[in-house]
Amino acid sequence: MQFRDLKHQYQVLKEDIDKAMSEVVADCNFISGKQVKDLEKSLADYVGVKHCVACANGTDALSLAMMVWRIGPGDAVFVPDFTFFSTGEIVAYAGAVPVFVDVDLDTYNISADSLERKIREIQEEGKLIPRAVIPVDLFGLPADYEKIQKIARQYNLRILEDGAQGFGGRIGDQMACSFGDISTTSFFPAKPLGCYGDGGAVFTDDDDTADLLRSVSVHGKGTMKYDNVRIGLNSRLDTLQAAVLSVKLKAFREYELDDVNKAAEKYTALLGDIVKTPVIPQGFYSSWAQYTIQLGSKEERDGLQARLKESGIPTMIYYPKPMHKQQAFEDQRFVDDDYRNTIQLCNTVLALPLHPYLTDTESEKVTGEIRNYLKEKR
Ligand SMILES: *Cc1c(COP(=O)(O)O)cnc(C)c1O
């Protein structure tokens, strides 16, 4: 059994993907080909924002926002404690301080109450200027933007939506990657919409921000590549990746997103009575980057993972370590007491195999093994 079955997906889409890739190779338009422009337009339309700027990966996408907003030394940026390393890394890389915020035990996303408490702490300390918050749409579920937007307005913070895992999710009719002043996503192969290497994109409704993003992503270009008006990056999406993504986006829209939701619903129906299954709040829709359950303790989680491995069922622990405990951030002082939920989650979460091509037989095998193990142990 595969954790995320990219080989199966390729077999289904092979003809179209091979054709799209061959065209790029035949034309040799490897950098900034027409396919990139076309993809940016399709992505912007799908998400419902005015501008999409494709770039080299999801980490650069976040960094581009830091650069456009000139966030740097003396600035504080609020980041969930339970996320992939990039979300905090790019803040420190910009020279600013990532201030970690605890998350909600039901949704795994940034807690609005903890966010407000941390903003107040930073204000009272008076050393750093609160500039932005980076809510993450963790495991595919959009963060609680209604509450976050209210806090951001009150404290004059910009919102950078890290939609690396969130592409395809929504709240009501509003799509993920449209909730931030700037929003980003990643096309790393295992993300909800993945390419065949690294890739990413930045979204915004603001015309000036979009111009700046285009400039910063190509060496701070002015009127052209050899007129450089600011310091930037070399962060473009390869034409080959855009070609692959155009085929995959079609499948994603037509059936993959529906199918992965059906597979997730099946897990919840078969497991909801014995483990804590993901909570999708009313009106929210997830793109299911991960299906993550919570066990009763670290021992139970680790024991279950070992048993599933013996039965040929791959699982993952996203994430084993809170951001505030990462050695890379050890120059800052954080107290564990502020991050009780994140610490609990790191000890008890387990992500199960999930993708649009997961069969009922497979998910029944997974849930059957989980039920057997827990019945034995409890
Ligand atoms: C994957 C991921 C990123 C980084 O994306 P890359 O394309 O791997 O650079 C950033 N944030 C989150 C939450 C992610 O899951």
Side-chain angles (χ1 to χ4, degrees), residues 57-60 62 83-84 86-87 136 138 162 164-165 186-188 191 198-199 319:
N57 56 69
T59 308
D60 277 6
L62 294 165
T83 179
F84 178 62
S86 287
T87 322
V136 176
L138 204 72
D162 181 350
Q165 302 180 15
S186 161
F187 304 124
F188 184 83
K191 307 282 173 165
D198 279 308
Y319 296 92

Side-chain angles (χ1 to χ4, degrees), residues 34-333:
K34 173 180 178 296
Q35 289 88 336
V36 178
K37 274 267 156 302
D38 291 349
L39 179 75
E40 287 177 337
K41 184 167 186 325
S42 310
L43 291 170
D45 288 349
Y46 178 71
V47 164
V49 298
K50 230 166 133 184
H51 306 282
C52 169
V53 180
C55 65
N57 56 69
T59 308
D60 277 6
L62 294 165
S63 276
L64 290 168
M66 293 289 106
M67 293 171 86
V68 162
W69 287 341
R70 295 174 165 280
I71 287 177
D75 294 335
V77 176
F78 300 87
V79 173
D81 199 36
F82 192 58
T83 179
F84 178 62
F85 187 60
S86 287
T87 322
E89 179 183 34
I90 56 97
V91 176
Y93 187 73
V97 174
V99 177
F100 299 115
V101 176
D102 207 6
V103 298
D104 184 272
L105 279 178
D106 280 346
T107 63
Y108 306 113
N109 280 330
I110 193 166
S111 148
D113 291 341
S114 303
L115 172 62
E116 191 157 18
R117 228 174 295 132
K118 282 286 163 204
I119 298 170
R120 290 231 176 102
E121 269 176 36
I122 294 296
Q123 280 185 332
E124 277 156 27
E125 252 176 41
K127 289 185 193 146
L128 298 169
I129 303 171
R131 291 285 309 278
V133 53
I134 314 184
V136 176
D137 303 333
L138 204 72
F139 304 152
L141 180 71
D144 188 347
Y145 288 100
E146 200 181 310
K147 282 192 187 149
I148 294 164
Q149 278 158 356
K150 218 172 121 208
I151 295 170
R153 267 196 298 276
Q154 186 180 344
Y155 295 94
N156 195 24
L157 299 181
R158 286 182 158 132
I159 298 176
L160 172 55
E161 175 185 4
D162 181 350
Q165 302 180 15
F167 189 83
R170 57 177 192 259
I171 305 174
D173 292 333
Q174 192 177 346
M175 299 297 293
C177 299
S178 74
F179 292 105
D181 298 297
I182 296 178
S183 303
T184 65
T185 197
S186 161
F187 304 124
F188 184 83
K191 307 282 173 165
L193 178 64
C195 62
Y196 284 174
D198 279 308
V202 191
F203 300 88
T204 185
D205 266 324
D206 186 74
D207 298 346
D208 295 338
T209 304
D211 287 345
L212 282 170
L213 287 166
R214 289 195 186 283
S215 166
V216 173
S217 64
V218 184
H219 305 289
K221 70 172 177 182
T223 50
M224 59 135 177
K225 194 177 158 189
Y226 302 106
D227 169 37
N228 307 93
V229 297
R230 56 182 65 83
I231 299 299
L233 297 176
N234 171 19
S235 188
R236 292 173 295 232
L237 182 73
D238 293 344
T239 311
L240 265 172
Q241 300 302 348
V244 170
L245 283 166
S246 69
V247 176
K248 289 233 213 168
L249 178 62
K250 189 161 174 282
F252 184 83
R253 298 178 71 150
E254 284 176 1
Y255 60 90
E256 283 189 352
L257 188 55
D258 284 343
D259 288 354
V260 80
N261 266 274
K262 280 183 200 134
E265 273 166 32
K266 179 147 176 117
Y267 270 149
T268 301
L270 293 173
L271 287 174
D273 60 329
I274 49 161
V275 295
K276 187 165 161 73
T277 50
V279 176
I280 308 300
Q282 187 71 38
F284 283 57
Y285 185 81
S286 177
S287 59
W288 296 105
Q290 304 297 338
Y291 188 93
T292 301
I293 58 172
Q294 294 174 46
L295 284 305
S297 66
K298 185 169 189 315
E299 294 66 44
E300 190 175 83
R301 190 267 312 271
D302 293 347
L304 174 62
Q305 183 174 40
R307 166 68 70 87
L308 292 175
K309 191 173 173 206
E310 279 167 28
S311 315
I313 298 170
T315 59
M316 300 292 279
I317 296 172
Y318 297 123
Y319 296 92
K321 212 187 229 193
M323 293 289 255
H324 81 274
K325 282 190 180 298
Q326 294 287 3
Q327 193 187 328
F329 300 121
E330 74 188 355
D331 55 329
Q332 286 148 61
R333 238 173 294 269

